[in-house]
């Protein structure tokens, strides 16, 4: 039969693999949120620049059909911004869930490592007791020459 520490070590290894997987999920989720923020900034900047250009052209005079097309384009950009913000909200919520999962797997790993360490310590203590018992028994069997 395997030692308790060996069995615990297998469970600790499994917990380590789950933690590495959680690390990857966390990194991916954080990267997604970072990309979302960068994309949002780009979209907002593009919209501001386009509106500024439109205002500049408007001062010089713009045909009604061009103004209507520009307004429709701006509405599409604003719609895209709304959709992107919704996606960002979902990704942030997912990040929170992944962070919670990561904390759980990290806690589980630490618990398994502590249990494995305790099992090893107990096995060492038991081995020392057995060795001391064997030494005590042996010393009782050997009679001193003066008796």
């Amino acid at each position: 039969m395997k030692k308790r520490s060996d069995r615990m070590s297998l469970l600790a290894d499994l917990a380590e693999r789950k933690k590495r997987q959680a690390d990857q999920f966390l990194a991916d989720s954080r990267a997604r949120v970072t990309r979302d923020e960068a994309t949002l900034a780009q979209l907002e900047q593009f919209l501001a620049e386009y509106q500024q250009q439109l205002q500049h052209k408007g001062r010089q005079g713009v045909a009604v059909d061009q103004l209507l097309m520009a307004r429709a384009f701006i509405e599409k950009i604003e719609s895209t911004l709304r959709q992107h913000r919704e996606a960002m909200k979902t990704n942030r919520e997912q990040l929170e869930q992944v962070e919670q999962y990561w904390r759980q797997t990290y806690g589980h790993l630490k618990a398994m490592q502590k249990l494995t360490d305790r099992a090893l310590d107990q096995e060492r203590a038991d081995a020392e007791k057995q060795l001391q018992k064997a030494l005590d028994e042996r010393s009782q069997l050997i009679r001193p020459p003066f008796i």
Side-chain angles (χ1 to χ4, degrees), residues 108-146:
H108 183 70
L109 172 63
K110 289 300 175 189
M112 294 307 300
Q113 288 172 340
K114 284 182 183 180
L115 287 173
T116 302
D117 291 344
R118 279 192 212 149
L120 284 169
D121 291 344
Q122 184 62 45
E123 289 170 5
R124 283 187 206 112
D126 291 346
E128 286 178 23
K129 285 180 185 178
Q130 286 180 341
L131 179 61
Q132 187 61 46
K133 182 179 177 182
L135 289 173
D136 290 346
E137 289 175 358
R138 185 170 181 202
S139 70
Q140 289 177 359
L141 292 177
I142 301 174
R143 294 186 181 200
F146 55 86

Side-chain angles (χ1 to χ4, degrees), residues 3-18:
K3 292 186 213 176
R4 183 171 183 248
S5 64
D6 291 339
R7 294 188 310 266
M8 297 302 294
S9 179
L10 291 173
L11 293 174
D13 289 344
L14 179 61
E16 176 65 33
R17 278 187 249 143
K18 283 182 120 178

Side-chain angles (χ1 to χ4, degrees), residues 9-145:
S9 179
L10 291 173
L11 293 174
D13 289 344
L14 179 61
E16 176 65 33
R17 278 187 249 143
K18 283 182 120 178
K19 188 204 165 275
R20 281 194 303 266
Q21 184 183 37
D23 288 343
Q24 187 61 47
F25 288 155
L26 184 60
D28 292 346
S29 189
R30 284 182 177 165
R32 191 176 312 114
V33 167
T34 302
R35 278 192 311 271
D36 285 349
E37 290 168 351
T39 302
L40 179 66
Q42 287 175 340
L43 284 170
E44 288 174 339
Q45 181 181 359
F46 178 75
L47 177 61
E49 289 173 1
Y50 188 79
Q51 286 174 332
Q52 191 176 33
Q53 287 175 0
L54 186 61
Q55 285 176 354
H56 180 69
K57 286 181 183 178
R59 289 186 194 120
Q60 297 172 354
V62 177
V64 174
D65 61 333
Q66 288 179 334
L67 187 61
L68 291 175
M69 285 181 15
R71 186 65 205 147
F73 185 65
I74 288 173
E75 287 176 7
K76 284 184 181 183
I77 294 172
E78 289 172 343
S79 174
T80 301
L81 279 167
R82 280 191 300 277
Q83 290 173 355
H84 188 71
R85 285 186 181 109
E86 284 298 316
M88 282 181 67
K89 181 181 175 187
T90 301
N91 288 338
R92 283 189 181 124
E93 289 170 356
Q94 187 178 31
L95 175 60
E96 289 174 15
Q97 292 171 352
V98 169
E99 286 173 340
Q100 182 179 2
Y101 175 72
W102 181 88
R103 283 189 294 274
Q104 289 173 344
T105 57
Y106 182 78
H108 183 70
L109 172 63
K110 289 300 175 189
M112 294 307 300
Q113 288 172 340
K114 284 182 183 180
L115 287 173
T116 302
D117 291 344
R118 279 192 212 149
L120 284 169
D121 291 344
Q122 184 62 45
E123 289 170 5
R124 283 187 206 112
D126 291 346
E128 286 178 23
K129 285 180 185 178
Q130 286 180 341
L131 179 61
Q132 187 61 46
K133 182 179 177 182
L135 289 173
D136 290 346
E137 289 175 358
R138 185 170 181 202
S139 70
Q140 289 177 359
L141 292 177
I142 301 174
R143 294 186 181 200

